[in-house]
Amino acid sequence: MNVRTNGALDKAHTLIEALPWLARFHGATVVIKYGGNAMTEEHLRAKFADDVVFLRYAGLRPVIVHGGGPQIQAQLDLQGIDSHFVSGLRVTTPEAMQVVRMVLVGQVNRDVVGLINRHGPFAVGMSGEDAHLFTAERKHAVVDGVKIDIGQVGEIVSVDAGAVQALLDDGRIPVVSSIARGDDGPDGPGVYNVNADTAAAALAVALKACKLIVLTDVEGLYADWRPDSPAQEVISRIRASELAELLPALSSGMVPKMEACLTAVEGGVPQAHVLDGRIPHALLLEVFTDEGIGTMVVPDSDGGSGASGALEGRDSR
């Protein structure tokens, strides 16, 4: 057997391995939180767009929810607007909120839509304000038990996913920026900055998605994180109750991501994943391979034979 034939057989094997997953997820909605290096490195941005369009052609219904922390910070610095964090949350003054809104809706959202639409007329951009998709109330930071006002930072209190569902039914790929309308009465702010991980989880629950996938800059949830250790063990599969016990001990950067996964599975989403977005084609490796990558969170009711273990090969996860 020559080298050329061997290469073709490898490709055929990869396609056949994907077959049961194509059948399992055909027609299913997948909500993807897009951020981190996958959003800022050019070669990863292009591969992410390729993956999303592949999912669409493979019969899945992808929805993207994005933030844009680095882009927001760069624009705030450029305009000389002070920006600092309290308990991991960006203090968002009215001046800063104007920048957040402009960057997320007018810059990042358009960039993501443009990357996907190089492949065809698929992506449609929208803000969480549009059609009352996300409604939020003011969120406070808590420091030493004391509530601190951090400006126009919101907590999502309701989701109206009708517009997103209509786009999916029309064969489109919704791309949603993590901005929410305010619902604090006539004297409250009209718009809030909301955490994109939280927004993605809320939307996944509202859409009854089969998966929430959170792209980040680590391999997944580590079993025993030690910054000085060259090798870290990644937890490949964890139940919701086990994750809830671990949350207080997690690093501040992982807390919103793992909270989002927990919120999703407790809200009825069969599985939630944290993936390393620095790995090219991470989405395809998770959805269409037997081993998967990253950390998968499943409900306590999943005894290994549910949505995540239904197909032989992932039971060990």
Side-chain angles (χ1 to χ4, degrees), residues 217-241:
D217 290 340
V218 295
E219 296 173 276
L221 179 62
Y222 295 114
D224 184 17
W225 170 249
R226 297 181 305 279
D228 55 343
S229 175
Q232 304 286 344
E233 180 186 354
V234 175
I235 299 172
S236 62
R237 176 189 174 110
I238 188 169
R239 295 177 188 271
S241 60

Side-chain angles (χ1 to χ4, degrees), residues 3-276:
V3 174
R4 182 177 177 183
T5 304
N6 278 335
L9 285 174
D10 288 342
K11 292 179 181 178
H13 175 76
T14 300
L15 292 171
I16 292 300
E17 182 179 332
L19 180 59
W21 306 106
L22 285 166
R24 165 70 177 82
F25 296 120
H26 186 82
T29 299
V30 178
V31 176
I32 304 158
K33 187 294 179 116
Y34 181 44
N37 283 55
M39 178 182 278
T40 56
E41 294 188 17
E42 191 64 35
H43 73 105
L44 293 175
R45 293 171 69 239
K47 288 180 173 61
F48 172 79
D50 292 345
D51 288 2
V52 170
V53 174
F54 187 97
L55 293 178
R56 163 64 175 71
Y57 274 123
L60 284 79
R61 292 149 57 101
V63 179
I64 301 165
V65 178
H66 68 84
Q71 296 92 332
I72 291 169
Q73 189 61 55
Q75 190 60 227
L76 289 170
D77 292 342
L78 187 64
Q79 297 192 23
I81 297 174
D82 176 59
S83 177
H84 61 282
F85 291 80
V86 175
S87 296
L89 299 169
R90 185 190 298 275
V91 176
T92 308
T93 63
E95 294 78 16
M97 188 65 230
Q98 290 183 6
V99 172
V100 170
R101 196 182 198 184
M102 174 186 70
V103 170
L104 291 184
V105 179
Q107 177 188 332
V108 178
N109 192 273
R110 304 318 308 164
D111 287 347
V112 178
V113 168
L115 282 169
I116 293 171
N117 284 347
R118 291 177 183 176
H119 299 274
F122 300 121
V124 177
M126 60 186 299
S127 163
E129 298 173 76
D130 295 338
H132 290 188
L133 174 54
F134 297 136
T135 299
E137 293 179 351
R138 186 180 295 270
K139 181 182 178 69
H140 292 82
V142 178
V143 179
D144 297 327
V146 178
K147 292 173 66 174
I148 297 177
D149 185 4
I150 50 175
Q152 289 176 237
V153 177
E155 187 85 53
I156 294 175
V157 294
S158 68
V159 180
D160 184 345
V164 174
Q165 190 66 58
L167 289 171
L168 289 172
D169 292 343
D170 192 38
R172 309 300 176 180
I173 301 173
V175 180
V176 182
S177 58
S178 54
I179 300 291
R181 66 182 285 266
D183 191 21
D184 300 284
D187 298 326
V191 62
Y192 282 112
N193 181 18
V194 297
N195 180 277
D197 301 309
T198 304
L203 186 54
V205 171
L207 289 170
K208 297 180 172 58
C210 78
K211 278 179 181 283
L212 168 68
I213 299 176
V214 178
L215 294 178
T216 184
D217 290 340
V218 295
E219 296 173 276
L221 179 62
Y222 295 114
D224 184 17
W225 170 249
R226 297 181 305 279
D228 55 343
S229 175
Q232 304 286 344
E233 180 186 354
V234 175
I235 299 172
S236 62
R237 176 189 174 110
I238 188 169
R239 295 177 188 271
S241 60
E242 296 169 333
L243 176 57
E245 291 179 10
L246 287 179
L247 273 177
L250 298 183
S251 64
S252 59
M254 283 301 288
V255 168
K257 296 171 184 9
M258 300 315 301
E259 281 184 338
C261 290
L262 186 60
T263 296
V265 297
E266 289 182 340
V269 178
Q271 49 192 231
H273 307 257
V274 173
L275 307 184
D276 190 345

